[in-house]
Amino acid sequence: MAKMKAIEAVAKILELEGVTKAFGVPGAAINPFYAALRGLGTIDHVLARHVEGASHMAEGYTRANPGNIGLCIGTSGPAGTDMITGLYSASADSIPILCITGQAPRARMHKEDFQAVDIESIAKPVCKWAVTVMEPAQLPGTFQQAFHIMRSGRPGPVLIDMPFDVQMAEIEFDAEAYQPMTPYKPAATRIQVEKALTMLNEADKPLLVSGGGVINANADAQLTEFAELVNVPVIPTLMGWGTIPDDHELMAGMCGLQTSHRYGNANVLASDFVLGIGNRWANRHTGSVDVYTKGRKFVHVDIEPTQIGRVFGPDLGIVSDAGAALDLFLEVAKEWKAAGKLKDRSAWVAECQERKRTLQRKTHYENTPVKPQRVYEEMNKAFGRDTTYVSTIGLSQIAAAQFLHVYKARNWINCGQAGPLGWTIPAALGVVAAEPGRQVVALSGDYDFQFMIEELAVGAQFKLPYIHVLVNNSYLGLIRQAQRGFDMDFCVQLSFENINAPELGEYGVDHKAVVEGLGCKAIRVFKPEEIAPALEEAKKLMAEFSVPVVVEVILERVTNISMGVEIDAINEFEELAEKGADAPTAISLLD
């Protein structure tokens, strides 16, 4: 058997597990690992500007394509603590990423050594598994177990912490004998599926709710096929957006308090049965349980047993991987259709389609400063069906979910439950790194954009081109809107008169100058008619220079985006569409 440094065995295991890309920041305690990566030569490395940025890049990389697992690397101490937000984000949204940290030598770990911290204990609440490896010979088995844990059941992140002397020790390792472990995926039984399908068939106005678990299982095709087979409309969650194309006749809209369509909420409220697959009944999808569940029955399919009943008790719970469940649902439904047992849903489908046609919000405004709704209208015109949108949180993301269109799984990449500001830039870079040439369009408000703006330099250095639409109202817009309930506008204004950019007036930070200083390209527009030409120019600049291109749109300072505290009580602050010209890029035109 071959004798080698333990860290060389780790690098080889990463290769054997399919890792080809890493995001990180070197440091003294992790330099042995970097030496092993250099020696191996098969794993490309992207140097982040901040370790939190590296963790978000890893998440974007994972979410870009089925089977990906993003790898982020940092040294001891603050590098690990910087990763915690990324681990929390990945854990909350069931995304597998592997975080590797260096650590002080074992003999100095409990002596307050420089940059020595108990990262295992810190990371445990936001990981599927966090471990400091104290024996060199345990490293191969630890990494094998890490990949097994990340891929099994509900996916999620793992952190492995390696003391310096553990990395440097010699061990026996036979790479030819190494074999990745088969992940565990629970699967629905036939009797469970027959019971669920019976409940659906007995209902008059059933819906399917498609969550992020369908995307994790790479089962969007099965979801759409099943919906077509039983002819039942689909309500995707924000994390499941794209599991059925927006323009599909059975796509019935998103439901929720913020990232929702008027017709999506109306269709849920009109239903009498919901089959949820791979979703978690998030609060911003449901609002209060009483309103969401009143008058309807529920079946909940989820890969994680403890998710069943976490928010409310369903009439039937099924523990299953979404793909395995949908395969069986298709099998049984095909048998029932051949036997003439499936109910005719055409009237209910037509009812949902009519709501989709008529319940639209207005987007066509000609105001200057620009109203945000117009930005999304122009984005719909400028970007095609294959566009991948990346966003995190704020009024910009909420409005994007209300007005943009998504046609494929993994073409809406959004940080859901955690929602950390700054996520968008590094996540977008991770998506581009996973698939060079993919058309990626990121979307940020000005505060999200400023949080990790330094990562744009990574896009310039490593030639990771994408378009970033920056909507600037010089406000913490979502928090300002939330403060209306407290009758205040306090500590949320980002506006000031920039002595170096008087042309900005009160809009503060000169994003264009900062972006260009980081090696990227930027365009700023003030009027609605300038948006379309700017987006076209951005495409040309991106193609020519292979760097991120930022299109900044100066918005009106205050716009209240539609939202509410219940799905039956959404406040519509702006005008509603009354004719087709009011919402010319709506998915279903009024006239």
Side-chain angles (χ1 to χ4, degrees), residues 236-260:
T237 68
L238 185 66
M239 299 302 294
W241 197 12
T243 49
I244 187 168
D246 268 8
D247 57 355
H248 195 290
E249 66 174 7
L250 292 175
M251 201 293 199
M254 285 191 288
C255 173
L257 306 182
Q258 296 177 337
T259 54
S260 60

Side-chain angles (χ1 to χ4, degrees), residues 254 256-266 355-365 373 377 398-399 401-403 560-564 567 569-588 590:
M254 285 191 288
L257 306 182
Q258 296 177 337
T259 54
S260 60
H261 303 108
R262 292 178 66 211
Y263 51 90
N265 284 351
R355 293 190 190 94
K356 185 175 180 178
R357 188 185 71 82
T358 57
L359 298 179
Q360 301 285 350
R361 297 178 175 115
K362 183 175 178 177
T363 60
H364 195 72
Y365 294 92
Q373 293 87 345
E377 177 182 307
I398 291 168
Q402 293 180 10
F403 297 113
N560 293 313
I561 301 298
S562 303
M563 64 181 72
I567 61 171
I570 301 298
N571 295 313
E572 299 290 347
F573 298 97
E574 301 288 334
E575 300 171 72
L576 299 176
E578 297 180 352
K579 56 185 184 299
D582 291 337
T585 63
I587 201 69
S588 182
L590 279 161

Side-chain angles (χ1 to χ4, degrees), residues 15 42 122 128 219 229 252 256 295 308 405 492 540 551:
E15 179 188 59
T42 60
I122 294 170
K128 284 193 77 175
L229 187 63
I308 308 293
H405 307 315
V492 291
K540 295 176 184 176
V551 177

Side-chain angles (χ1 to χ4, degrees), residues 139-157:
L139 275 177
T142 299
F143 275 84
Q144 186 181 40
Q145 174 76 333
F147 281 95
H148 183 249
I149 287 172
M150 285 187 287
R151 292 170 175 146
S152 293
R154 180 184 181 181

Side-chain angles (χ1 to χ4, degrees), residues 488-507:
M488 67 177 182
D489 186 327
F490 184 62
C491 295
V492 291
Q493 297 205 23
L494 300 172
S495 60
F496 63 93
E497 292 186 1
N498 189 327
I499 59 172
N500 299 307
E503 70 276 13
L504 283 172
E506 62 179 344
Y507 282 81

Side-chain angles (χ1 to χ4, degrees), residues 447-485:
Y447 206 43
D448 170 54
F449 190 72
Q450 290 173 20
F451 255 58
M452 302 203 80
I453 194 170
E454 74 281 354
E455 301 301 335
L456 284 173
V458 177
Q461 180 180 354
F462 291 92
K463 301 296 183 185
L464 300 172
Y466 75 96
I467 293 173
H468 202 124
V469 177
L470 165 60
V471 286
N472 182 4
N473 63 356
S474 200
Y475 245 124
L476 305 188
L478 178 57
I479 308 308
R480 176 207 56 77
Q481 186 166 334
Q483 285 188 352
R484 294 171 71 254

Side-chain angles (χ1 to χ4, degrees), residues 155-233:
V158 166
L159 180 137
I160 299 178
D161 185 45
M162 300 182 295
F164 187 91
D165 56 325
V166 170
Q167 298 177 57
M168 295 295 290
E170 286 200 336
I171 64 169
E172 299 284 352
F173 178 70
D174 188 342
E176 290 183 357
Y178 182 87
Q179 183 67 39
M181 295 170 67
T182 303
Y184 164 71
K185 301 284 186 182
T189 65
R190 186 175 180 92
I191 191 169
Q192 290 173 327
V193 166
E194 287 177 343
K195 284 180 177 289
L197 204 52
T198 297
M199 292 173 67
L200 181 147
N201 211 34
E202 289 173 348
D204 293 320
K205 297 182 176 183
L207 291 173
L208 306 179
V209 167
S210 175
V214 175
I215 292 177
N216 283 346
N218 199 30
D220 49 293
Q222 295 98 303
L223 183 282
T224 301
E225 184 182 357
F226 176 63
E228 292 170 345
L229 187 63
V230 294
N231 201 26
V232 171

Side-chain angles (χ1 to χ4, degrees), residues 311-549:
V311 178
F312 61 84
D315 296 272
L316 176 63
I318 301 174
V319 178
S320 180
D321 169 76
L326 282 164
D327 286 343
L328 198 49
F329 270 112
L330 278 167
E331 180 182 317
V332 176
K334 287 175 181 176
E335 293 173 7
W336 286 20
K337 183 171 184 178
K341 291 173 63 176
L342 293 180
K343 189 181 290 186
D344 180 11
R345 302 289 179 193
S346 55
W348 166 236
V349 170
E351 185 181 325
C352 292
Q353 286 176 330
E354 182 62 12
R355 293 190 190 94
K356 185 175 180 178
R357 188 185 71 82
T358 57
L359 298 179
Q360 301 285 350
R361 297 178 175 115
K362 183 175 178 177
T363 60
H364 195 72
Y365 294 92
E366 298 182 353
N367 307 47
T368 300
V370 177
K371 291 186 76 67
Q373 293 87 345
R374 179 64 181 270
V375 178
Y376 307 102
E377 177 182 307
E378 297 299 337
M379 290 174 70
N380 284 332
K381 292 177 183 175
F383 303 117
R385 297 179 69 89
D386 292 330
T387 302
T388 297
Y389 293 109
V390 181
S391 188
T392 179
I393 196 172
L395 289 184
S396 56
Q397 171 253 9
I398 291 168
Q402 293 180 10
F403 297 113
L404 292 180
H405 307 315
V406 175
Y407 302 97
K408 297 179 180 179
R410 302 181 189 272
N411 276 13
W412 171 259
I413 294 179
N414 176 229
C415 178
Q417 186 194 134
L421 288 165
W423 186 89
T424 308
I425 292 174
L429 292 170
V431 175
V432 178
E435 190 177 334
R438 186 165 176 169
Q439 185 176 62
V440 175
V441 178
L443 176 71
S444 291
D446 44 308
Y447 206 43
D448 170 54
F449 190 72
Q450 290 173 20
F451 255 58
M452 302 203 80
I453 194 170
E454 74 281 354
E455 301 301 335
L456 284 173
V458 177
Q461 180 180 354
F462 291 92
K463 301 296 183 185
L464 300 172
Y466 75 96
I467 293 173
H468 202 124
V469 177
L470 165 60
V471 286
N472 182 4
N473 63 356
S474 200
Y475 245 124
L476 305 188
L478 178 57
I479 308 308
R480 176 207 56 77
Q481 186 166 334
Q483 285 188 352
R484 294 171 71 254
F486 295 89
D487 193 26
M488 67 177 182
D489 186 327
F490 184 62
C491 295
V492 291
Q493 297 205 23
L494 300 172
S495 60
F496 63 93
E497 292 186 1
N498 189 327
I499 59 172
N500 299 307
E503 70 276 13
L504 283 172
E506 62 179 344
Y507 282 81
V509 174
D510 186 350
H511 296 113
K512 187 173 186 290
V514 177
V515 168
E516 291 174 345
L518 290 166
C520 301
K521 290 290 185 179
I523 305 167
R524 179 184 293 131
V525 302
F526 291 90
K527 299 177 182 179
E529 61 269 22
E530 297 172 344
I531 300 172
L535 294 175
E536 291 307 310
E537 178 65 15
K539 294 177 187 178
K540 295 176 184 176
L541 291 171
M542 187 179 66
E544 181 178 356
F545 296 103
S546 292
V547 299
V549 180

